[in-house]
Amino acid sequence: MTPRGETSSAAGTSLWRHQDFRRYLTGQAASVTGSSITQMALPVLAVLHLDATTAQVAWLAFLGQLPPAVLALHAGALADRHSKRRQMIAGDLVSATVLATVPVAAALGTLTLTQLMIVAVAQGAASVLHDAAAISLLPSLVDRSLIQRSNSRVGALFAIAATAGSHLGAALTALLGPARALLGDVASYLISAVCTARIQTSEPARARPETRRLRGEIAEGLRYVRGDDRLWTLTLVNATTSFGLGLLNTLWALYLLRTLAMSATVFGVLLGLGALGAAAGALTAPALARRYGPGPMMLAALAVTPLTQLPLLLASPSLAWQITIGAALFLQLACAGAAGTTQRSIRQIVTTAGMQARMQAVSTWLTSGARPVAALLAGALGTWIGVRPTLTAGALLLLIPLVVLARSPIRALRQMPDPPVDRTSPPAVPSPTRTDDARHERALGGDAS
């Protein structure tokens, strides 16, 4: 039986035959791959080639995280006001230009830590502009009944692309040096811009006049999210989860490498297992939501997540514990992929076209703002009470999003909600497909049709 809100034609549609979705997915996957190259190469460049101190490395990381917390609301308002595709292309081109100055300066012998910090801020700001438009563009590319399947494909491919980018970054750093390795990220931004420029689906008409003050539109977005119990609940779940994981992730690598004496090779294998878990969770999310209901499925995922921290807290240096931690990380990120894909789909489905970017911006603003605070708290607690007790506190904090969702009617949601009536923006019509294309999609991404 076809789920409510999903037409029979949409139910059998293969997303791999949807040209604009493929272009969107290719561009965004290239960008994620490139960003992972930079995340790998930039610290190496700062520490090994510019002799950065611990404080300077911390400042570099902080400045890279600052733009989402400061600019997310403004980027969302701009994306709802102007063309999302143009904003994405502008963000890609600015990022490529700014990042290209690093290998140029390195070749000239003029590269400094100050330049790296400026690049981190400028690239972070451009990425915020791009991401605010990119996430909110998806609902205009496909029929709303296909949003969950689309997010499933996006989440899975992004997890794989991030892992591939980390390995590629390590290889390029070894072959070319960290400065020239950044050219891989520059190329990824250009690929993303080209793919975005080739998208042909028309964006929904923007009904609001562009002469309106940006501050008023930001406030409208905040009121919109706060006024919808579903959006507000899922936004709080995102923010509290981000805070708990931010505290854990700040000390996670230090704990594994130093306290548990884990080798760099084993640590890399664990990261790879985590990426596979995230991809598996994202791919299976639509089927799990159909079988158990999106609400119970997300509730179960949030309940399992704190339990996956137990092996980390109880472990001692041994091969058996390394295997156990790897399995727990796979399960944790599978839960994150399934719950994240589903909650994002629900928010996109219930939000009108003219509020998509601002709705997403509110979530980005709160989750991004939580991470630096969590990192500072982790550093303070780790110094005061020790690393293992701090990780225990982080695991307990992961109970908060579980309680938030459990106290909400969303916990009992048995099927994806119906979209709102939005007369200004009829849903996009996906490209025609054939039965063999649907079989091809299931072979690639699991039975999610």
Side-chain angles (χ1 to χ4, degrees):
M1 180 179 293
T2 302
R4 183 180 66 176
E6 182 172 326
T7 64
S8 59
S9 60
T13 295
S14 170
L15 289 169
W16 306 118
R17 290 286 294 172
H18 195 314
Q19 288 188 350
D20 280 348
F21 177 75
R22 289 206 313 268
R23 291 163 180 160
Y24 172 88
L25 195 61
T26 301
Q28 299 313 297
S31 183
V32 170
T33 303
S35 296
S36 296
I37 294 175
T38 294
Q39 290 172 5
M40 172 69 192
L42 203 62
V44 174
L45 182 61
V47 174
L48 298 184
H49 291 258
L50 297 178
D51 297 320
T53 65
T54 301
Q56 289 171 328
V57 171
W59 270 106
L60 185 62
F62 174 77
L63 291 172
Q65 294 177 353
L66 190 60
V70 175
L71 300 176
L73 294 176
H74 298 79
L78 288 172
D80 277 338
R81 173 185 286 193
H82 303 294
S83 166
K84 292 179 175 60
R85 289 194 298 121
R86 291 178 183 175
Q87 183 165 317
M88 290 167 62
I89 293 170
D92 283 332
L93 295 180
V94 170
S95 292
T97 302
V98 169
L99 197 60
T101 65
V102 176
V104 171
L108 296 175
T110 58
L111 183 63
T112 64
L113 275 169
T114 300
Q115 180 179 346
L116 283 188
M117 292 180 181
I118 294 173
V119 167
V121 173
Q123 185 188 7
S127 295
V128 171
L129 289 172
H130 172 277
D131 293 346
I135 297 175
S136 58
L137 179 66
L138 180 61
S140 67
L141 296 181
V142 299
D143 190 277
R144 293 221 175 193
S145 62
L146 298 175
I147 283 180
Q148 189 181 24
R149 285 170 54 197
S150 301
N151 278 318
S152 170
R153 304 301 185 266
V154 169
L157 187 58
F158 280 17
I160 296 171
T163 303
S166 297
H167 293 309
L168 180 59
L172 291 176
T173 298
L175 291 173
L176 306 175
R180 283 181 287 185
L182 296 177
L183 292 173
D185 197 6
V186 173
S188 77
Y189 282 119
L190 297 178
I191 293 172
S192 176
V194 170
C195 290
T196 303
R198 295 186 62 197
I199 293 175
Q200 299 176 356
T201 302
S202 299
E203 297 182 37
R206 289 167 289 280
R208 290 173 175 78
E210 297 183 3
T211 55
R212 196 174 164 194
R213 289 177 66 100
L214 196 64
R215 183 182 302 176
E217 297 189 14
I218 291 173
E220 184 180 20
L222 289 167
R223 289 193 300 269
Y224 184 86
V225 172
R226 185 64 184 89
D228 189 306
D229 288 340
R230 298 165 299 182
L231 293 176
W232 183 239
T233 296
L234 294 176
T235 299
L236 287 180
V237 167
N238 286 347
T240 51
T241 301
S242 178
F243 187 84
L245 291 178
L247 192 147
L248 286 165
N249 292 341
T250 299
L251 301 178
W252 190 66
L254 176 68
Y255 180 72
L256 292 179
L257 295 172
R258 183 173 296 172
T259 305
L260 299 184
M262 191 173 289
S263 68
T265 300
V266 173
F267 183 68
V269 171
L270 287 183
L271 294 180
L273 285 173
L276 290 177
L283 284 174
T284 57
L288 291 173
R290 284 198 307 271
R291 182 176 180 85
Y292 302 105
M297 186 269 281
M298 289 190 294
L299 194 65
L302 291 176
V304 169
T305 299
L307 298 178
T308 61
Q309 305 304 313
L310 290 177
L312 183 70
L313 301 175
L314 300 174
S316 58
S318 71
L319 176 61
W321 276 115
Q322 290 174 357
I323 295 173
T324 303
I325 291 173
L329 181 62
F330 179 94
L331 181 59
Q332 175 193 332
L333 292 185
C335 290
T341 295
T342 303
Q343 61 83 15
R344 186 183 307 113
S345 299
I346 292 173
R347 290 188 292 117
Q348 289 175 337
I349 289 171
V350 304
T351 300
T352 58
M355 299 297 298
Q356 284 284 343
R358 278 172 287 176
M359 175 276 295
Q360 180 59 42
V362 173
S363 179
T364 301
W365 175 58
L366 289 175
T367 54
S368 299
R371 291 182 193 128
V373 176
L376 292 175
L377 180 61
L381 289 177
T383 303
W384 180 36
I385 63 176
V387 174
R388 195 187 294 257
T390 302
L391 293 175
T392 302
L396 292 175
L397 285 173
L398 291 177
L399 294 173
I400 296 177
L402 173 63
V403 172
V404 171
L405 188 63
R407 292 173 59 87
S408 164
I410 294 179
R411 71 184 183 278
L413 188 64
R414 302 298 301 180
Q415 53 192 349
M416 298 301 284
D418 288 325
V421 177
D422 189 359
R423 302 182 186 280
T424 63
S425 55
V429 178
S431 301
T433 186
R434 299 192 304 271
T435 304
D436 58 338
D437 295 320
R439 285 199 297 267
H440 175 62
E441 181 188 19
R442 287 194 291 271
L444 289 176
D447 186 11
S449 57

